[in-house]
Amino acid sequence: MSTPSPLQRNISPSARQNALTFCLLGVLFFAVAMFCWLVEAPLAPAAFGLLWIASAVLLFLGIAKLLEPETSFIITPAEITYSHRRGRWTLPWEAITRFDAPRVHRGLNLEDLPYLGFRLEDIEVLLERISPRLMSHVIVEQRHLLALGLRYERPDLSDYSQYYDIPERFIGRSGREYKGLQAMFAVRSQQLRELLGYDIYIHASALDRPLDEFIQHLRQLQSSRQQHL
């Protein structure tokens, strides 16, 4: 087994925390429910139902946590790789123009969203470096971000069809034409950039520390990376 370079940072997602605890609690609740059923314990049907439901929910959450990758980010002086159970993407540092928590206007205040957003020099770099399964997942998963952006950043609009009827054709800065899934992903990224300022978003549960601390850590790595290239 190879040892990671001292210049490499492997980030373990907080989403995996307590996975085994959830599974063990689920098994325990299941065992209690089975024992009560076998000995015909005088429990109300509602109590049995709660035990079964609690067991199923805890097991589901525990297994879902275990399915998350052990490492969500691999950060080196040259690039950043993000891993998800549905795929991954890799970006060279030079392709990233900025990163931060996206914000929406709520009245006169700005509210941080629980995401790390990356703004890119050119979306085409990401189109060539993201797996199709993850691309498809992101389009669906981040619909609520689009809805939030429209609600708080475009409250004057009455017709949102232009944002939800995504064209299956996209012309990149290079002049290359993208179709199908790549085109849909690129257009959605443009829409989110227009509304929230960034092209791609990672939920805070994929990080190993609070979002603001991780952003500061990432900035420190970015500022010092040139010394190690």
Side-chain angles (χ1 to χ4, degrees):
M1 182 175 176
S2 61
T3 302
S5 163
L7 305 179
Q8 175 177 308
R9 299 292 186 273
N10 293 349
I11 305 300
S12 299
S14 61
R16 281 185 61 93
Q17 292 178 1
N18 302 316
L20 290 177
T21 301
F22 276 84
C23 288
L24 290 173
L25 284 174
V27 171
L28 177 62
F29 274 64
F30 177 78
V32 171
M34 284 296 296
F35 175 79
C36 292
W37 179 70
L38 289 172
V39 303
E40 299 182 353
L43 288 179
F48 272 115
L50 286 174
L51 283 172
W52 291 118
I53 292 172
S55 171
V57 169
L58 288 167
L59 281 171
F60 175 81
L61 291 174
I63 293 171
K65 285 175 174 286
L66 287 174
L67 289 175
E68 293 293 331
E70 292 187 13
T71 300
S72 55
F73 279 97
I74 298 176
I75 305 170
T76 71
E79 61 189 17
I80 299 177
T81 297
Y82 168 68
S83 295
H84 187 274
R85 65 179 182 274
R86 289 185 172 86
R88 63 171 52 192
W89 55 250
T90 299
L91 285 170
W93 277 103
E94 290 79 8
I96 301 169
T97 59
R98 61 176 298 210
F99 51 85
D100 206 341
R103 299 171 177 84
V104 292
H105 289 86
R106 289 187 185 249
L108 298 177
N109 299 318
L110 279 173
E111 180 177 315
D112 288 358
L113 299 179
Y115 287 86
L116 172 62
F118 290 92
R119 188 179 180 104
L120 308 180
E121 179 68 28
D122 188 347
I123 191 63
E124 286 188 86
V125 177
L126 183 57
L127 293 178
E128 301 300 325
R129 295 166 175 260
I130 181 172
S131 59
R133 282 192 68 212
L134 181 56
M135 201 181 300
S136 178
H137 173 74
V138 167
I139 292 172
V140 175
E141 183 188 52
Q142 295 184 351
R143 281 174 66 93
H144 74 284
L145 275 177
L146 181 67
L148 275 175
L150 290 171
R151 178 180 178 183
Y152 293 108
E153 303 304 315
R154 295 291 185 274
D156 53 313
L157 286 183
S158 57
D159 181 10
Y160 295 150
S161 60
Q162 60 177 313
Y163 289 93
Y164 287 100
D165 297 336
I166 307 178
E168 296 189 7
R169 181 174 177 271
F170 173 78
I171 305 297
R173 186 184 297 180
S174 67
R176 177 178 173 182
E177 180 180 1
Y178 295 87
K179 296 181 180 180
L181 186 61
Q182 285 184 313
M184 295 173 67
F185 180 84
V187 172
R188 175 56 54 80
S189 295
Q190 282 189 331
Q191 293 171 343
L192 290 173
R193 175 196 278 237
E194 172 196 337
L195 296 169
L196 300 175
Y198 301 91
D199 297 281
I200 189 73
Y201 300 78
I202 306 299
H203 194 271
S205 62
L207 311 178
D208 63 349
R209 65 197 74 188
L211 179 57
D212 56 342
E213 292 182 18
F214 187 84
I215 290 171
Q216 291 302 318
H217 179 58
L218 202 56
R219 286 174 178 160
Q220 291 170 3
L221 295 177
Q222 183 187 39
S223 63
S224 64
R225 73 182 192 87
Q226 291 292 345
Q227 304 170 18
H228 308 293
L229 289 175

